[in-house]
Amino acid sequence: MVIEERKTYRVIGTRPIRHDGIDKVTGRAQYGADIRLSGMLHARTLRSPHAHALIKSIDASKALALPGVKAVVTGADFPEVADSIEDMGEAEGSLRDLSANVMARDKALYRGHAVAAVAATSVHVALEALALIEVDYEVLPAVLDVRDAMRSDAPLLHERKTASIAGESEKPSNVAKHDQFAWGDLEDGFGQAEVVVEREFTTEMVHQGYIEPHASTATWNSDGQITIWTSTQGAFTIRSQASGILAQPISRVKVIPTEIGGGFGGKTLVYMEPVAAILARKSGRPVKMQMDRTEVFEGTGPTSGSYIRIKAGATKDGKLTAVQSYLAYEAGAYPGSPVTAGAMTHVAPYDIPNCLIDAYDVVVNKPKVAAYRAPGAPAAAFAMEQVIDELAEKVGSDPLQFRLLNSSKEGTRGPGGRPFKAIGHEQCLRAAFESEHYKSPLEGPTRGRGVASGFWFNAGMRSSVTVSINPDGTVNLIEGSTDIGGTRTSLAMQLAETLGITAEDVKPTVVDTDSVGYNDVTGGSRVTFASGMAVYEAGMDMRRQLIARAAELMGAEAEELEYRDGAVVHKTDESKRYSFKQLCERIFERGATVVATGSVVGRGVGGAFATHVVDVEVDPETGKVDILRYTATQDVGTAIHPAYVEGQIQGGVVQGIGWALNEEYYYNEPGQMLNASFLDYRMPTSLDVPMIDAVIVEVPNPGHPYGVRGVGEVPIVPPLAAIANAVYRATGVRQQKLPMSPRRILETTFGLE
């Protein structure tokens, strides 16, 4: 562990047992599939078998006549909504597009697009009824590749024009948006370059791979009140989306988040929630919907496939002079790929004086994409970090030293144009360089070592909490952020640090949208940062109230007292003091209580960097790439709970390994995904990865009272490129297409078909 100079804390930096651990390991935690209501119906979805087709008619009469069927819903049952821009969790998007993605209207735009749904007395009856629904399709040509979709003669998904800084295009196009970022003088930069590398890269769609499929239950009471139980990363976001799609006042929609079996960005959008609500209204009964794994693959949002072209130049002494990038990302059926984030992150680790980046958001006949852990950044880093590696090789530099020479630091231009504040990329590079792993020899004819860096912005957004004392000196912490990676405990620890009590004396609870102030989505690595700020604010509010209460008890003025080490103490007579527990007990004895709140818009976000080192061995007979050793260094600001930080880093690395070596959406020509199951969609298992060494670098974020930076997204950014660079060192062939599967390795490296 690498530690920069920082404050010493009592609770922060320790490793208490997570507050929800017992419920999770004993099976008492309630997930989406565990919801059971009296009189509940079960619903299933009919999905398009075609990647692109007009829906000429839907006849559900036979399904409605089936005994046990209580309601059927199609696109005709959804209200027309304005084409407004709404919160989509980690980004913004069109409410009209989101509604059409939930249930197709005149066109099905990908195989798996929902076209109807049935609620029945059992799952089996619902499935039988789906087979009785008759849909008349007119099949249209599909476009499945981002470059094909950008052609002027490509089949159009929508009659829409390209939006750009220059205005709209003259003709409709599958290019939804063109963003551009530029600074310096590109021509002058390449004129100074003595070494230039220009390469093209492609990646395929991949899924977040969360273990729990989507599950939602809804009621729609006769008084107009809608209640939704769902597995989600953001109850308030789902409330907003459902309210808009259903054209109901937001005050009539209550969302109760269940425990969540993973999300990684993929559970920030509505899919079944509005459908279940309309079925509940039509049937007059609660309706539960669940997806099977094939529906998750075909009917929810993966992350984008991409085409990236990069040209970069450097001097012979290793200084970067210019970068020109072209990024085109697949948005799926509706606009909204993370290409802009990719464009803004892939050069962030480096001080580049001259740069031009073009970013294209392109619709294709595949599922509408959703966020996936540092959305847009891994693919962009896959390209950029290989180009950086090749430049280092051409100028004869160690790859880490080359990165260190060009590293961003405090004052360097950041992704949005503003200079970075205190950041830790240099420290990560040095930690990697000084690691036992990097210093160790690596021998073998088909073994190689690769490195790569990565960056993620991290997010702030809105958070609210409520805190109240109990007579026994414990504290209730009411929050509204879905706990995916242990944030109940990370927030409880920050409150405990603020109040000077133990983490075990804080009782955190995640509640519904009616029971706490507004909280944005659990995404963007924001909760420990922003909700932590709200917790700190609430804790300081509580301290002020406790001082006022103690002043009454002591017969003193509040100004004469101070809060110190979990107690209220008289500044000039320390014999006059109340410990936190004593004070809570006395307050309740007097018939009073203390409730404090914290509500923030998370300012002062600190972006985070990571540098990874990986050793691989390539089998020349099978093309299989084995990960021999992996070390990930990351600036985490301040590690609130080091074990959770290490777990986040290790989890991100493992997902990156899967993305690099095996995972992809594999389509046939008509647009059918051929590997829509965990049997065929190859994710890493424990047999595929070594122990991941997580090196924690702590450069406290000056924008947070405890120096917190988001942790969860950065670790998935470097692995794709680090492994590609290692494979190159092992084989002498650069891999410019993902995944680097055994077949692709054999074809590109060993000339086998």
Side-chain angles (χ1 to χ4, degrees):
M1 180 181 292
V2 178
I3 304 287
E4 296 293 310
E5 289 188 12
R6 67 161 216 185
K7 297 178 182 178
T8 300
Y9 298 108
R10 296 176 53 181
V11 178
I12 290 172
T14 64
R15 303 181 183 225
I17 295 173
R18 62 186 296 164
H19 293 72
D20 56 337
I22 297 297
D23 284 349
K24 295 272 176 74
V25 300
T26 59
R28 284 200 295 266
Q30 192 172 59
Y31 292 84
D34 296 324
I35 300 298
R36 289 174 176 80
L37 304 177
S38 178
M40 187 173 71
L41 301 176
H42 299 267
R44 285 296 184 268
T45 303
L46 181 68
R47 300 182 181 275
S48 170
H50 308 293
H52 195 190
L54 290 173
I55 301 173
K56 301 178 73 175
S57 65
I58 301 176
D59 185 355
S61 58
K62 293 180 181 177
L64 284 166
L66 185 70
V69 172
K70 302 300 180 183
V72 174
V73 64
T74 69
D77 294 295
F78 283 76
E80 287 296 322
V81 296
D83 193 16
S84 59
I85 301 301
E86 300 288 344
D87 176 21
M88 300 296 168
E90 293 195 50
E92 292 182 333
S94 164
L95 184 65
R96 181 177 294 173
D97 285 348
L98 184 63
S99 180
N101 189 57
V102 166
M103 188 66 68
R105 306 299 201 270
D106 58 333
K107 280 175 103 178
L109 294 175
Y110 54 94
R111 180 186 170 92
H113 200 166
V115 297
V118 173
T121 51
S122 74
V123 172
H124 305 291
V125 173
L127 291 172
E128 186 179 351
L130 292 184
L132 298 176
I133 297 176
E134 298 174 356
V135 184
D136 184 11
Y137 294 103
E138 180 183 331
V139 179
L140 302 173
V143 59
L144 302 170
D145 178 80
V146 66
R147 283 168 290 179
D148 291 339
M150 297 177 77
R151 293 166 57 97
S152 60
D153 59 349
L156 290 176
L157 277 71
H158 311 279
E159 292 290 331
R160 302 180 188 175
K161 298 178 180 180
T162 303
S164 72
I165 55 174
E168 286 192 338
S169 60
E170 293 184 4
K171 296 180 179 179
S173 168
N174 289 323
V175 180
K177 189 177 182 182
H178 172 205
D179 277 333
Q180 189 175 83
F181 303 89
W183 61 90
D185 186 327
L186 198 66
E187 184 177 352
D188 180 61
F190 280 115
Q192 297 174 38
E194 297 168 287
V195 178
V196 175
V197 172
E198 189 168 5
R199 295 287 179 264
E200 297 179 351
F201 303 87
T202 59
T203 69
E204 302 297 333
M205 279 188 167
V206 298
H207 201 271
Q208 299 86 351
Y210 35 80
I211 194 170
E212 178 204 21
H214 294 254
S216 302
T217 302
T219 61
W220 192 318
N221 290 349
S222 56
D223 63 358
Q225 179 64 42
I226 302 164
T227 303
I228 298 170
W229 293 257
T230 192
S231 173
T232 177
Q233 292 177 238
F236 289 86
T237 300
I238 297 303
R239 181 184 69 170
S240 176
Q241 294 174 16
S243 166
I245 290 172
L246 297 171
Q248 296 295 313
I250 204 164
S251 58
R252 290 191 178 181
V253 181
K254 175 181 177 180
V255 176
I256 304 174
T258 62
E259 292 295 339
I260 185 170
F264 311 108
K267 290 182 179 175
T268 56
L269 301 174
V270 291
Y271 293 103
M272 301 178 300
E273 292 89 347
V275 181
I278 293 177
L279 286 168
R281 182 181 62 181
K282 295 184 78 171
S283 66
R285 292 166 64 173
V287 172
K288 180 178 183 177
M289 301 189 76
Q290 295 174 251
M291 291 188 186
D292 60 29
R293 186 59 60 180
T294 297
E295 288 182 290
V296 171
F297 276 116
E298 294 187 340
T300 68
T303 195
S304 304
S306 69
Y307 167 74
I308 300 172
R309 186 170 66 243
I310 294 179
K311 178 182 178 182
T315 61
K316 287 183 179 178
D317 61 2
K319 284 295 291 182
L320 290 168
T321 62
V323 170
Q324 183 174 6
S325 301
Y326 173 105
L327 296 84
Y329 279 29
E330 296 171 351
Y334 299 94
S337 77
V339 67
T340 300
M344 295 175 72
T345 56
H346 77 302
V347 298
Y350 307 108
D351 186 359
I352 301 170
N354 308 290
C355 196
L356 174 64
I357 306 170
D358 287 291
Y360 298 89
D361 181 35
V362 185
V363 294
V364 294
N365 291 116
K366 296 179 182 178
K368 172 181 168 54
V369 301
Y372 179 19
R373 209 169 187 163
F382 168 67
M384 187 66 198
E385 289 294 312
Q386 286 201 74
V387 170
I388 291 290
D389 209 64
E390 192 169 349
L391 284 171
E393 183 181 39
K394 286 184 178 295
V395 302
S397 173
D398 174 273
L400 286 179
Q401 292 288 13
F402 183 88
R403 287 168 169 82
L404 189 58
L405 177 65
N406 293 284
S407 176
S408 289
K409 55 183 69 71
E410 187 172 358
T412 302
R413 183 193 190 281
R418 294 181 179 178
F420 281 118
K421 295 183 180 179
I423 56 172
H425 186 224
E426 290 181 310
Q427 290 86 340
C428 290
L429 289 166
R430 291 193 180 98
F433 191 81
E434 295 298 326
S435 68
E436 180 185 342
H437 181 173
Y438 200 70
K439 291 180 177 180
S440 67
L442 179 65
E443 299 175 350
T446 57
R447 291 185 171 188
R449 175 169 294 159
V451 303
S453 287
F455 167 81
W456 184 246
F457 311 95
N458 294 327
M461 302 192 280
R462 294 163 291 182
S463 286
S464 302
V465 300
T466 301
V467 176
S468 59
I469 63 170
N470 295 314
D472 61 357
T474 59
V475 177
N476 299 321
L477 168 57
I478 306 301
E479 45 133 340
S481 299
T482 300
D483 185 349
I484 297 180
T487 51
R488 283 184 178 91
T489 300
S490 70
L491 297 182
M493 291 175 70
Q494 290 180 76
L495 181 59
E497 186 71 48
T498 306
L499 295 176
I501 60 179
T502 68
E504 291 78 9
D505 281 338
V506 179
K507 310 299 179 185
T509 304
V510 179
V511 296
D512 60 74
T513 55
D514 283 358
S515 301
V516 72
Y518 189 90
N519 281 266
D520 274 307
V521 67
T522 297
S525 299
R526 62 166 294 277
V527 173
T528 297
F529 168 78
S531 296
M533 293 178 74
V535 159
Y536 176 81
E537 186 178 273
M540 296 304 290
D541 181 16
M542 178 166 280
R543 285 169 51 153
R544 288 189 290 270
Q545 293 187 55
L546 291 173
I547 287 174
R549 298 288 187 179
E552 295 173 6
L553 292 169
M554 293 181 185
E557 296 296 325
E559 292 76 16
E560 300 177 280
L561 309 179
E562 64 180 351
Y563 197 98
R564 188 200 323 152
D565 298 329
V568 177
V569 184
H570 198 286
K571 293 177 182 178
T572 60
D573 184 358
E574 294 202 5
S575 65
K576 296 180 179 180
R577 60 180 290 127
Y578 281 100
S579 70
F580 185 84
K581 288 184 180 293
Q582 290 172 334
L583 196 51
C584 290
E585 183 179 359
R586 291 298 306 275
I587 288 170
F588 274 87
E589 286 176 353
R590 293 168 65 92
T593 188
V594 172
V595 178
T597 61
S599 181
V600 303
V601 177
R603 315 269 185 210
V605 175
F609 294 85
T611 300
H612 292 189
V613 183
V614 59
D615 295 347
V616 305
E617 183 172 32
V618 181
D619 187 332
E621 294 186 356
T622 66
K624 185 176 185 294
V625 177
D626 287 320
I627 307 295
L628 304 177
R629 188 173 183 180
Y630 206 111
T631 299
T633 71
Q634 183 171 321
D635 173 22
V636 306
T638 298
I640 299 297
H641 192 302
Y644 291 0
V645 170
E646 291 160 358
Q648 287 287 340
I649 293 172
Q650 291 160 344
V653 169
V654 171
Q655 287 182 312
I657 290 171
W659 194 339
L661 298 181
N662 300 107
E663 295 183 41
E664 64 177 320
Y665 269 46
Y666 192 85
Y667 283 93
N668 62 11
E669 189 173 340
Q672 176 187 7
M673 185 183 178
L674 299 180
N675 59 332
S677 73
F678 278 154
L679 179 64
D680 298 312
Y681 183 89
R682 180 75 167 82
M683 292 175 63
T685 70
S686 59
L687 300 177
D688 297 307
V689 295
M691 291 298 295
I692 310 297
D693 292 326
V695 179
I696 296 175
V697 176
E698 294 186 300
V699 180
N701 171 21
H704 189 278
Y706 295 126
V708 171
R709 299 181 194 273
V711 170
E713 291 175 277
V714 185
I716 200 174
V717 181
L720 286 62
I723 294 169
N725 289 332
V727 168
Y728 166 71
R729 305 288 177 191
T731 65
V733 177
R734 288 211 173 266
Q735 298 295 320
Q736 294 169 225
K737 183 177 176 61
L738 291 182
M740 294 174 281
S741 61
R743 176 181 176 180
R744 187 158 289 130
I745 294 291
L746 289 177
E747 291 174 348
T748 59
T749 305
F750 302 107
L752 301 178
E753 297 183 1

